[in-house]
Each structure stands twice: as C-alpha cells, then as structure tokens.
Amino acid sequence: MSRQTTASDPAAEPLSPQVAAAYRYCEAVTGSQAKNFSYGIRLLPLAKRQAMSAIYALARRIDDIGDGSWSDARKFEELGRTRGLLDQIREGAVEPEDTDPVKVALAHACSVFPIPLDAFDELIDGMEMDVRGTSYATFEELRLYCRCVAGTIGRLSLSVFGCTDPKRGAEYADTLGLALQLTNILRDVREDALNGRVYLPAEDLARYGCEQGFGLDTPPAEADFRGLVLFEARRAQGYFDEGLRLLPMLDRRSRACVGAMAGIYHRVLERIIAEPEAVLRGRVSLPGWEKAYVALSGLVGGRTS
C-alpha cells in the first residue's frame, strides 16, 4: 500500500472487506483496552476514528510486549519484530490479505494520512528502556522517556487530526503527552513500585525523603510523600496549561477529541492533588458517567475540566 501525497477526503474510497475487518479489530481493541482513549476518538469522523484505532492497536501491542511475562530476551526479540512490521509498511509491502489485522489497518491508515512511523520507533525505544529497568536521575532524563512513550502518541495523533500550525502543534502535542504521562506515573506509582519500577526522578525522591520508594502502604514518617506528589502534580499541571494551547489549532471534532482525552486525565490529576495519599490505595480513576460527561462537554464546546 503506497502512501498518497494528498487526501482531501479520506473516506472517499470504499474499503475492501479485509481492510474493513482489520479496522473493526483495531476498534474492538481500543474499546476494550483504552477506555479514556476510546471516549475521545468516538467524537471523530469515521476515517479519523479508524486511523486512530489502528495507531492505538499497535501502540497497545508494543506496551503489552514490555509489560508482559516473557523473558527480557524474548521482549527485545518481539520489539525487534515490531520494528520489522514498521519497515514493511514503509516499503508498501503489506497486502490486505495479510493475517495481522493491526498491520493491515495501519498500512491503510498510512495511505490516507501522513502518519510519522518513526514515532513508533521512538515508542519502542521507550519500551526498551522499561525492559532494561531504566531509572531516571533527573527530570530531564524522565522527560526523554515521556517523549518516547507519550509525546509520540501526540505526534501520531496530530498527523490524523491535522493542524493549522504543524510545527507549533507538534510541540504542543508533545507537551500535552508529557502532562498525560506524568499523570499516569503519579496514578500508578504504587502499582509500578510493586512491579519493581520507579519512574519519578531520583533527585525529587531525595528532596522529599522518599528514596525508599512506595512499596509500603504507608510511607516512612520522615518521608514527605504528600509534598512529592503535589510537586509533581503541579509540574504536570503546567504542562497541561501549555499543551492545551494545541486545541485552537484543530478542527472542531478533533479539538473535542483531544479536549475529552486531556480533560479525563486532568480530572484524575485534580483528584490526586485533592488527596495525594489515594494513589497508595490503588489507581485513581473516573466513573464511566463522568468520562462520558467530559467527552460530551468537549463536543458541545463546554469546559472539559
């Protein structure tokens, strides 16, 4: 499947049965595995929603490899195979009859939208950091990781949405991805600790006396856990404020999609700020009705957070 240089109407060409089935598979993966993401992309027109589902399905596969139970050697092998999949798409070597629906759907999406496949390579770089158990001494080191695992998704999404100012839009998308990933890190701090992973920068842990990590239900008395969480949350808030400057650069439905996804995460961040200790009891999340409300608010032009 060769990439088109322009696509004034992405939905103009009818899909083959194989490609349509591949997209349905990706949409099913997205709907079952990415509640926050799926609430946002429901607001998009069909062609964009399908492309976003294909992007998510491959990103999910990469994430599942890194978080799975395989040996590290097997994980690196599977990530290498995924890089090979990207090369096949770049070379136009994917046929609709291929047995991998994610590959088929993404190849078609790349023929309609200018999807930067190199961003997936960066995502794989970030997952390889996870497999190696990379820790982060400084925030700048963590920021590089966040760019790989979250900023890439922002840039991939922007290629489907379109943008009135592509250069600045890519910068804002990257920043918004950073805000979302920092929120994820705070939300999952206990779960990650129990899995042997610490993402918060060592310099911040030391500043707040939290070097022992978060494996205990209650932090040591000398640890200022609340101060640490509030510090990181305010940092994330600053990136939300900057990244959301992307919204006026998008068309109405793409703006609603991004606003819904960002709004859901921002509400999670607000809950963490209100009760930092909650992250030690489990994942902070929103009920389905509230996610739907945020999505609907974005579509009708209201506030999402």
Side-chain angles (χ1 to χ4, degrees), residues 86-123:
L86 295 171
D87 288 338
Q88 284 184 280
I89 296 176
R90 289 186 184 100
E91 294 162 5
V94 179
E95 297 297 331
E97 296 77 17
D98 194 287
T99 57
D100 184 346
V102 176
K103 186 196 302 184
V104 171
L106 186 60
H108 183 270
C110 286
S111 75
V112 176
F113 298 99
I115 296 172
L117 292 177
D118 289 353
F120 279 113
D121 286 300
E122 289 186 60
L123 180 59

Side-chain angles (χ1 to χ4, degrees), residues 18-302:
Q18 297 93 334
V19 172
Y23 275 132
R24 286 197 297 273
Y25 173 85
C26 293
E27 289 185 293
V29 169
T30 304
S32 64
Q33 301 295 325
K35 300 301 184 184
N36 293 350
F37 193 83
S38 64
Y39 271 99
I41 67 172
R42 289 177 194 174
L43 305 175
L44 295 171
L46 178 62
K48 290 185 178 183
R49 184 171 71 247
Q50 290 173 327
M52 290 295 292
S53 294
I55 287 171
Y56 174 80
L58 184 58
R60 180 72 191 196
R61 177 181 296 180
I62 293 168
D63 191 62
D64 285 347
I65 292 171
D67 289 341
S69 58
W70 287 328
S71 68
D72 289 353
R74 175 72 184 280
K75 289 179 180 180
F76 283 119
E77 181 181 345
E78 293 297 327
L79 291 172
R81 286 200 179 103
T82 307
R83 291 190 194 273
L85 178 155
L86 295 171
D87 288 338
Q88 284 184 280
I89 296 176
R90 289 186 184 100
E91 294 162 5
V94 179
E95 297 297 331
E97 296 77 17
D98 194 287
T99 57
D100 184 346
V102 176
K103 186 196 302 184
V104 171
L106 186 60
H108 183 270
C110 286
S111 75
V112 176
F113 298 99
I115 296 172
L117 292 177
D118 289 353
F120 279 113
D121 286 300
E122 289 186 60
L123 180 59
I124 294 172
D125 290 342
M127 198 52 55
E128 288 176 342
M129 293 181 197
D130 275 345
V131 175
R132 286 192 293 269
T134 304
S135 57
Y136 307 96
T138 67
F139 177 70
E140 285 308 309
E141 292 179 5
L142 177 62
R143 182 173 184 149
L144 175 62
Y145 167 78
C146 291
R147 174 180 170 83
C148 288
V149 300
T152 52
I153 303 301
R155 297 194 297 278
L156 287 162
S157 301
L158 199 63
S159 69
V160 174
F161 296 149
C163 181
T164 58
D165 187 338
K167 183 176 184 299
R168 281 202 307 154
E171 293 171 355
Y172 290 144
D174 195 70
T175 300
L176 190 57
L178 178 57
L180 269 58
Q181 188 62 25
L182 289 175
T183 302
N184 272 340
I185 288 171
L186 290 173
R187 182 195 65 185
D188 299 341
V189 68
R190 180 65 190 282
E191 180 182 334
D192 288 333
L194 295 177
N195 289 324
R197 292 179 177 174
V198 178
Y199 290 98
L200 294 177
E203 62 183 6
D204 296 346
L205 297 176
R207 183 181 301 126
Y208 290 93
C210 295
E211 298 96 322
Q212 295 184 43
F214 312 105
L216 302 175
D217 291 337
T218 303
E222 66 276 11
D224 183 8
F225 176 78
R226 182 181 182 84
L228 173 65
V229 172
L230 291 176
F231 172 77
E232 303 294 356
R234 290 181 184 120
R235 173 180 271 164
Q237 177 63 61
Y239 288 119
F240 269 114
D241 292 343
E242 181 179 353
L244 287 171
R245 295 179 184 177
L246 170 67
L247 296 185
M249 301 179 182
L250 306 177
D251 65 63
R252 179 174 175 268
R253 292 178 72 174
S254 297
R255 182 166 62 247
C257 173
V258 175
M261 288 189 285
I264 289 169
Y265 277 92
H266 190 251
R267 287 195 176 208
V268 169
L269 184 66
E270 289 177 334
R271 279 163 171 71
I272 293 172
I273 291 172
E275 189 183 1
E277 294 80 8
V279 300
L280 294 178
R281 298 194 297 269
R283 175 174 289 195
V284 178
S285 62
L286 304 183
W289 69 264
E290 190 168 359
K291 293 178 181 180
Y293 171 78
V294 171
L296 179 62
S297 295
L299 188 60
V300 301

